[in-house]
Amino acid sequence: MQTVSDYFGSMVFDDRVMRATLSEEVYRTLKKTIDRGAQLDISVANAVANAMKDWAIARGATHYTHWFQPLTGITAEKHDSFITPAPDGRVIMEFSGKELIKGEPDASSFPSGGLRATFEARGYTAWDPTSYAFIKGKTLCIPTAFCSYGGEALDKKTPLLRSMEALNKQAMRILRLFGNTSVKCVRTSVGPEQEYFLIDKEMYDKRKDLIYTGRTLFGAKPPKGQELDDHYFGVIKPRVEEYMADLNEELWKLGVLAKTEHNEVAPAQHELAPIYSTTNIATDHNQLTMEIMQKVASRHGLVCLLHEKPFAGVNGSGKHNNWSMATDKGVNLLTPGETPYENAQFLLFLCAVLKAVDDYQDLLRIAVATAGNDHRLGANEAPPAVLSVFLGDELTAVLEAIENDKPYSGKKKTQLKLGVDVLPLFQKDTTDRNRTSPFAFTGNKFEFRMLGSSNSIACANIMLNAAVAESLKQYADRLEGTEDFAAALHLMIKKTIKDHKRIIFNGNGYDEAWIKEAERRGLSNYRTTPDCMPHLLDKKNVDMLTSQGVYTETELRSRCEIMLDNYCKAVLIEAETMVDMSEKQIIPAIEKYVFKLCETAISKKNFAPDISCDYEHGLVKKLSTLTERAAAFTADLKESVVHVRDFCDIISQANYIRDSILPLMTSLRAVVDEAETKTAADFWPFPTYGELLFGVR
Ligand code: ADP
Ligand code: MG
């Protein structure tokens, strides 16, 4: 039998394959490009392309594609076959270095937020040799970046790579200040934990809301939800287990380090976590994971829901972005070291993150803003829309001691002097792990928990890397050239703690009292996408992101436009779906049941005039009232959807949608959900929450 180690990565053109299929010289040159971004000569590219093609064909591939991540948030691919006509009428299989390095997809249908209008009509894709090519189905996929001819990024990967480079540059300056001359680069690593729901395909097919919008727009609460917490880490059902086994196998073949799987809090909810990897690879792998999750589900008669809030009243799905910085020597810069010197360095990097999260709360909120995630942030299972950092009691006490030049009690009442004392190792405290914090330090990494389950992790990491790079830059600017490094360092750490301690919060993030406290501290609280998104263009944000070389101002304008446009489209599709379901399915179903009730009452009266028909009478009256109200809300909703066109700019459109359309949707839903509880099951036109959530056995 084949073992996992036999087939792990078997569909990936990885280092092992490169070494085996490329000549010594080509391999060395390519490696230089991968490790140091050196330019690739066309003859080398030709050799790599040829080896890739032979390897892929031997594994059944017939096509290749430049695999990229446009601003839609999902991946895109256009397949070209390897075939080239031969003079004798047959075909040969060819793939050139030019085709490997650069592609020209017809980009006109991807969102560009006006970018392509101002530049060139077409975009091109450029090979990202740092992420391995792989085979999916019959296609060799080449991870690429997607740009306009003017060089403006039309994708999520280009700014991500730029942000990694920005952080690398500034972190290296800091490490040099600490006398570290051997490190060649600093990379950020990410391990994204992915939550999802699995439901039965047959039931899914009966719900237009799930089909069109990925979430249920109607649905009364079932008698049992997640009250008992009996699903969390519970026994995995056989059908789900088979799904997970199949999923793992597919992911492992693609070199994705799928590691942990378990049931989540809500019924039908599960989680998959990979072992962490370099950020751009983790991003590619997370996109692949989401895609494969859905594909494998359909093989098992299931549907994998990645929407962040598919069901009201039960937990939504998020993605925990575990993030750290490490040197090429494998040293994690967020692990307190064993010598005082390493500890001072650790504290500086820790402070850089604190400062970054405080200074750019808005950017981190923006990075996770979607119509779907708005339902989750602020609800009682997800972190609130307010950003704060959880450090745990021990580390917080250390920072307080430094700030006040006071003894640190954990260290035998000695005064903590940077560069002199050794810090305790901050183990992830398993007994007191804060699950409500949006941004938690967990021993040697930060866990950013605001991401929605369908988000690409690129945006969050772009903002995080850029903001931390900015903190480090400011530190390096100040520390380079000081006479007394240790003293300057100490002062700077103290100042950071003093200036940014408001962002530290170790309590319960779901508590309403915290939201008030956060307001008092001056932390921002953007509840919705239209609230936060325009701040992307605030001067301080544009200045930082452009000076770090992560985005141009034009690119930022285009992102703002696209994200608001996505928000509007998502909600409008939901509104139209609700109208459709209400008019074509729900109201007719209730009417049918009302008719049945009336018929029953009439028959009863005919049968025996003295029989009371109070039950039918009461129910008919109640349901008729609900129908009237549902019809009225439906009509209002229909009208307001048309009214959106009266607003000419996207910000007013988004605001109108938030203030007028979403509340109407809530009202319509409330009436329909009440009617559902009063309508006989046989008459209800689609599967209920109970059936959806408990239907997979
Ligand atoms: P949990 O948060 O469920 O307790 P872990 O802390 O073990 O689980 O890991 C959660 C995720 O964090 C995993 O994907 C893991 O690979 C990732 N992770 C662990 N260490 C790091 C690190 N240094 N940098 C980034 N991610 C990490
Ligand atoms: Mg976690």
Side-chain angles (χ1 to χ4, degrees), residues 382-404:
V386 181
L387 260 143
S388 63
V389 178
F390 169 87
L391 289 182
D393 295 339
E394 208 179 7
L395 194 47
T396 307
V398 168
L399 297 190
E400 266 164 16
I402 295 171
E403 185 197 355
N404 303 312

Side-chain angles (χ1 to χ4, degrees), residues 193 320 322 433 447 449:
E193 299 165 58
H320 292 175
N322 294 274
R433 286 193 55 209
E447 188 167 336
R449 301 185 177 132

